[in-house]
Amino acid sequence: MDLALAFATQLYPASAKRTIHELKPFSMNPRAAGKLSFHKKFSCSVAVAADRIRVSEVEVENKKHDLLRTVQETQRGLVATADQRSVIEEALVTVEGYNMGEPIELGKLDGTWRLQYTSAPDVLILLEAAARLPFFQVGQIFQKFECRDQSGGGVVRNVVRWSIPTLLEEQEGATLVVSAKFDVVSVRNIYLKFEEIKVQDINIGEQLQALIAPALLPRSFLSLQILQFIRTFKAQVPVTSPERRSVGGLYYLSYLDRDMLLGRAVGGGGVFVFTKAQPLEL
């Protein structure tokens, strides 16, 4: 006991004062506190903005789906009633509002687009003829834009697959291509200058093929040459000439994203609803 007391006395002499370390409440520099507060607010703002973008994207996709659903039973506009056209126009205007005023992205426009609906008279007359005439069919209709790596314009090709039953293959017996150059003239408008009309990719039907070159061997060299000529045949008609003024028109691209293109032919030429399609080789 005495030994322990002596040891304690050496550590803490009676005349010495013991040092007591007090723990003070944590305090932050006001400037550092302000930075932390700003960081928290900024992080919250970014998170809210990201959530709004995600909600907006979902909303746009839903509206696009609604538009495609309204045109689904109209046979690309051929049998649309006045009431249906009114509903379609309302759905179309709703989608157009999501990127209205944004400049045209030619890289996004480049590619092949399949027609889902139109009110354009020059297209509807083709669809009507196919519906009335037993010897004429209209298959898929496309717009093919070639404007990648361009800044002020490019080329657009209006492509119509058509056929004459028994003579040509169903729906895609031949291809009509109307080509035009286009220039971007404003934020959303392009001006088309039509240059050429072409008929190509003729695929004759089995009946006509058997008539030209019977299935019984041997086939003559002449009959094979005729078949090859028909398959590779192209008829080109220029739309412009030195004596004739170029035919053109203003086209308003009212909506564009990765899988939908909406357009309006300025001057009452009708509206167009396209969806992205697989690349088309011409």
Side-chain angles (χ1 to χ4, degrees), residues 54 88 91:
R54 281 192 290 270
I88 291 168

Side-chain angles (χ1 to χ4, degrees), residues 5 22-23 31 46 57 79 82 95 107-108 114 122 133 146 153 172 180-181 193-194 198 213-214 221 226 243 249 254:
L5 182 60
E22 296 181 358
L23 293 176
R31 184 177 298 178
V46 170
E57 288 176 350
V79 298
V95 176
K108 193 179 289 184
R114 178 184 287 108
D122 55 343
L133 302 175
E146 300 169 7
E172 297 189 356
K181 286 185 177 179
K193 293 178 287 187
F194 294 98
K198 185 190 324 183
F221 175 76
I226 292 172
E243 299 80 19
S254 56

Side-chain angles (χ1 to χ4, degrees), residues 11 13 72 78 91 102 126 143 170 217 238 248 250:
L11 287 177
Q72 191 172 12
L78 176 63
E102 295 181 10
L126 277 177
Q143 272 193 343
E170 291 282 325
L217 296 174
L250 202 59

Side-chain angles (χ1 to χ4, degrees), residues 51-65 98:
D51 288 340
R52 286 178 179 172
I53 290 172
R54 281 192 290 270
V55 170
S56 178
E57 288 176 350
V58 171
E59 185 179 322
V60 172
E61 292 302 316
N62 288 338
K63 296 302 182 183
K64 286 162 56 180
H65 177 76
Y98 284 102

Side-chain angles (χ1 to χ4, degrees), residues 209-241:
Q209 199 170 151
L211 181 64
I212 296 172
L216 296 175
L217 296 174
R219 292 183 173 184
S220 70
F221 175 76
L222 179 60
S223 63
L224 292 175
Q225 287 293 100
I226 292 172
L227 286 175
Q228 184 64 22
F229 172 77
I230 293 173
R231 287 169 182 155
T232 59
F233 175 79
K234 289 184 180 181
Q236 296 174 273
V237 180
V239 178
T240 61
S241 68

